[in-house]
Amino acid sequence: MITGTGRTVSPVLVARETELDRLVAAVVAVPSVVVVEGEAGIGKTRLVAELATRPEVAGLRWLKGGCGQVREPFPLGPVVEALRGRATELSGAALSPVTGALRALLPELQDVLPQAPPSLEDRAAELHRVLRGLVEVLAALGPAVLVLEDLHWADQQTVEFLAYLVRALPAGLSVVLTYRGEEADPALRAVTTRPADTITSEHLVLRPLDMAGTRALAAAILQTQEVSAEFAEHLCARSSGLPLAVQELLAMLRTQGKLIRWKGGWARRALDELDVPAGVRAPVQERVGRMPAGARAVTEAAAVLRLAVPAAMLVEVAGVSGTEALDEALDSGLLTEQGGLVAFRHVLAAEAVYEGVTLGRRQALHAAAAVAIRTLRPTPLGQVAHHLRHAGRPDEWVAAAVAAAEHAVGLGNDAEAARLLEEVLRHAGLDPVRRAELTIRLGWAATYTLRIPAIGEMLEEALRHDLPRSLRGELRILLALYLDTIRVDDLRVRQAFADAIPDLVELPELAAWAMVGMGVPTTTDVPFAERLPWLERALETVPADGEPGPRVFVLGKVAMIFVSSGDPRWWALTERILEETGGRPVGRREVGAYRSIGGTAVDAGHHRVATRLLEAALDAGRGASGSARDDLTLRASLALARYYGGAWDGLREELTELREQCGNRPHERLHVDLIVACLAPAPSRLDAARVMLAGLIRDLRVRGDLDMAAAPVTTLLRLASVGDGAGVALAETADVVAGWEARDLWPIGVRAVAAVTEALLSAGRQPEAAELVRRYETRLRGMDAPLAVPALAQAYGHLDAHTGRWARAADRYGEAAAAYAELPALYDAAQAVEQQAACLFALGDPGAGPALTRAIEAYTRLEARWDLDRATQLGRRWGLRPTSRIRPGQDGEAEGLSARQSQVARLAAKGLTNQEIARQMFLSPKTVDKHLGVAMRKLGARSRTELGRHLGGTPGS
């Protein structure tokens, strides 16, 4: 409707009835998680508001919070907003002692919370306790609906909490999350990708209104039966179908007197003369320009403040007296008041008003805002820093931003601390020592963030100045760690660690860390004998007493390298770590030790102990294991352990979820991609699998991650050995195979020896194959290398089978299968059993059939289609008729694509643009974009070129 004062709001929900019904149905089916996704101005908030009016949810408690565009160092802001003020409802609730950890986070609830538990030394453990407490409080408030809006602005800890909450969702709670899809963090999207079967899940994507929807909305606002088709068509085009833009355009037309009744309906006067963009900026600014001066000042102050503030504060910042100006601003419909707090009804309108404020006026408002919001409790330090910066007060801004960053670090919100410090270092004038100090703070904060910022040039800039020795040393090790993360140049990384050591005399724990960096086998020109002394120096340098975290971390790094080199001393170091930590790591450094040993133990074949270490590290936080980066790395390593061990059930879905969270973490993304590529490719996509594997091997070689390359090398060579591509595949993998030997990674490289041997034999290079196997056998003698027995037995089986020595080959394969099963490595064991069966068939041995049946059963359980097809063909050649229980999948289905997603992906792979696909399939370009994004995500493709390879073609083919 259009009120006498110009407010334009539809009295009823229009064109969203289906979405509302789905939302209601999901919310009442507790426990449930619902996502409402859509672009700015699409109507997410209105839809959720309509939910609250439905009779089906009348008996549920309403808990609501939202994120602000200017983030705060306070973590979990929207959750805190939803829970503060709930003391009355919690009175008498039987809350456990763990909820006492919320007293600092929710001081409003102190009267009903238990006493705070004893402080823990580790921030990660404290955070985990807070997350548990929040879930318990939410459970006590049930049955309830928790609504968290604008999560595209959520801080990292809020996203971690949501992941934790979804895994432990109370029975009486429904959760509604809203965000802009194009701005949402992949980690946020992943929160709801795989809820438990016991949780009702719904994902609503709100689309722009079509002409009919726009026509209905305009009629509802104007309180008329209908508007003309011409009017609706024009309105839809000018508003891009955004409900907010429709409202603002109607308000502007009315204000200008160009919206009039004509013959019982609504018409327009000179509508074509309006130069209105497809959005809200022009109509909003024009409406503000027509306001009385006082109302305009209040509206501009609200645009600068951005967050909901008490009415008195808004008036104070605006510099007006009395309440008349505030009332006029509220009557405009741009602002809304709830519970005494005033804010813009929609962020788009706030942005439009802000852009229209002159620079001088804007700076004055920011200065007034900084003064006013310091009186809020708790003080929003991030807001203070934001306003001081835009008020043109650089010194005060730096002080406030650093204070906000310190507060964020204290609360474990490293991502926000890194953002604040990075802004200061990039835009503020600082003396060299101060710059170095803040760069060090940024470096450590960035180390624990999921998406590490590009801080290399800032570290190098700080090092260009004359600095105290300890500052220089800490900057240098941070530079080394950063370079090691992005893996641009292994020699440069090694030199950075070497440069740091002399300057870290006063910081022995960091000196030991740098020495470990010198001992890591990242370059092929430094033999293990030269690296070993650095590791022994690190063990001597690390302090024997004091805080255990740094010591355990260094011990873990040394043990990791010993695992990769087959040095049995890694067991003693691991036992020492387990003893010091009680088998349960606490804190990032201890988690890092478990992660380092466990991740490398996976590569070296210690599958069981690796899984125990990785699960202990993950369980230490379970969503708050020290950092989001730790959590992601641990889950990726466990996924690799599952692949090697043969626990493939649900693995593909888990990998899809992990890849969405990898962001710009290239190490973790490669980890996930290589497992996806190695998971038994579909028979119809072998060529695409070869291309993908070859690309991954190149990436691993460039990054120096040779310890991760055994699986893709093995898979690529096995694929090549069945045809005539062995020579090409051997050339593509030669550098990696040579690198394992040059870096003394014999216990890791041996995993691929059988595949390399098979490929060499297929290429007619038998002497090289025999020499390779003998060389590995010699070098592995005396090493702790569990893969040596099965892999060498399988490789010798290949050599014997190649020369027709079937009986000896069958024995070798049987030995390999038994040893693989013991690790366990069930996929490799099944292959060895299949190879044994082939030899037994050649001998006419009656045990051939049962052996092949065992292999087929294993492939069936793993859904290894290519292997199953091959084994089935082997049986048929010898007169057997084995059957498969795996439903043959068509291209696309094996990767979980819907028919529509597969069709869009194939058209994109042929070179069609989104617009061309939309026309051909009668879809909107936005729908095409969505289907294409999902398909690329599921297939692990990062470009249309890669998409073409996955689907067995190239763009334009």
Side-chain angles (χ1 to χ4, degrees), residues 18 28 80 91 180 187-188 286-287 338 352 439 448 572 693 742 756:
T18 300
V28 298
V80 170
S91 179
R180 301 179 192 171
L188 173 62
E286 183 162 347
R287 289 178 68 190
Q338 188 172 8
T439 304
Y448 297 112
L693 287 162
V756 178

Side-chain angles (χ1 to χ4, degrees), residues 96-412:
S96 73
V98 74
T99 59
L102 304 179
R103 293 176 71 90
L105 187 69
L106 289 163
E108 300 89 345
L109 304 185
Q110 287 191 6
D111 291 343
V112 296
L113 293 174
Q115 290 300 310
S119 177
L120 300 175
E121 295 181 1
D122 181 69
R123 284 208 320 258
E126 292 274 14
L127 175 58
H128 184 228
R129 195 161 59 180
V130 166
L131 301 188
R132 288 175 54 201
L134 287 171
V135 172
E136 184 172 336
V137 167
L138 286 169
L141 288 169
V145 181
L146 173 65
V147 177
L148 301 179
E149 297 199 83
D150 294 326
L151 287 169
H152 46 276
W153 289 322
D155 63 279
Q156 182 175 299
Q157 284 190 21
T158 296
V159 176
E160 289 185 9
F161 168 69
L162 290 173
Y164 183 90
L165 176 64
V166 170
R167 287 196 290 265
L169 196 62
L173 185 67
S174 292
V175 180
V176 179
L177 313 175
T178 77
Y179 55 70
R180 301 179 192 171
E182 70 276 11
E183 299 178 34
D185 190 293
L188 173 62
R189 285 184 165 279
V191 165
T192 57
T193 53
R194 290 183 59 204
D197 293 339
T198 56
I199 297 175
T200 302
S201 177
E202 181 68 87
H203 192 123
L204 304 175
V205 179
L206 302 186
R207 306 296 184 191
L209 302 177
D210 56 14
M211 198 272 281
T214 303
R215 189 176 188 180
L217 178 60
I221 291 173
L222 300 174
Q223 294 185 307
T224 188
Q225 225 172 7
E226 65 176 8
V227 297
S228 68
E230 179 196 12
F231 181 85
E233 184 178 1
H234 176 88
L235 194 58
C236 185
R238 292 300 178 93
S239 66
S240 301
L242 292 178
L244 177 67
V246 171
Q247 294 175 4
E248 295 304 325
L249 284 166
L250 290 175
M252 184 187 71
L253 289 169
R254 179 191 180 281
T255 302
Q256 292 179 340
K258 294 177 179 178
L259 188 63
I260 61 171
R261 284 192 177 275
W262 180 255
K263 295 183 179 179
W266 289 87
R268 56 189 175 93
R269 282 185 181 172
L271 198 52
D272 292 330
E273 297 174 6
L274 293 175
D275 185 18
V276 181
V280 300
R281 183 174 290 103
V284 168
Q285 290 182 352
E286 183 162 347
R287 289 178 68 190
V288 173
R290 293 175 179 271
M291 288 180 180
R296 184 167 60 251
V298 170
T299 305
E300 290 173 347
V304 167
L305 282 162
R306 291 297 169 97
L307 75 166
V309 297
M313 180 177 292
L314 177 59
V315 170
E316 176 188 345
V317 173
V320 299
S321 58
T323 61
E324 182 179 354
L326 176 62
D327 290 339
E328 291 174 339
L330 287 169
D331 283 340
S332 73
L334 291 173
L335 305 184
T336 182
E337 182 271 330
Q338 188 172 8
L341 301 179
V342 181
F344 262 85
R345 186 179 299 276
H346 198 284
V347 67
L348 280 183
E351 291 172 356
V353 173
Y354 185 83
E355 291 178 10
V357 181
T358 61
L359 177 61
R361 169 70 173 159
R362 193 184 299 172
Q363 287 185 325
L365 287 171
H366 276 296
V371 172
I373 64 175
R374 285 185 189 272
T375 63
L376 294 176
R377 294 294 178 269
T379 303
L381 298 175
Q383 292 276 350
V384 173
H386 167 80
H387 289 302
L388 288 171
R389 178 184 179 187
H390 292 283
R393 299 182 179 180
D395 293 340
E396 295 177 66
W397 161 50
V398 170
V402 171
E406 289 177 350
H407 187 58
V409 169
L411 295 170

Side-chain angles (χ1 to χ4, degrees), residues 154 249 263 290 354 384 473 486 559 589 663 672 716 822 939 945:
L249 284 166
K263 295 183 179 179
R290 293 175 179 271
Y354 185 83
V384 173
I486 63 174
R589 297 290 174 84
V672 173
L716 178 62
E822 181 62 26
L939 293 171
T945 301

Side-chain angles (χ1 to χ4, degrees), residues 32-46:
S32 62
V33 178
V34 186
V35 170
V36 180
E37 176 185 344
E39 62 185 298
I42 202 68
K44 301 183 294 295
T45 298
R46 177 63 186 269

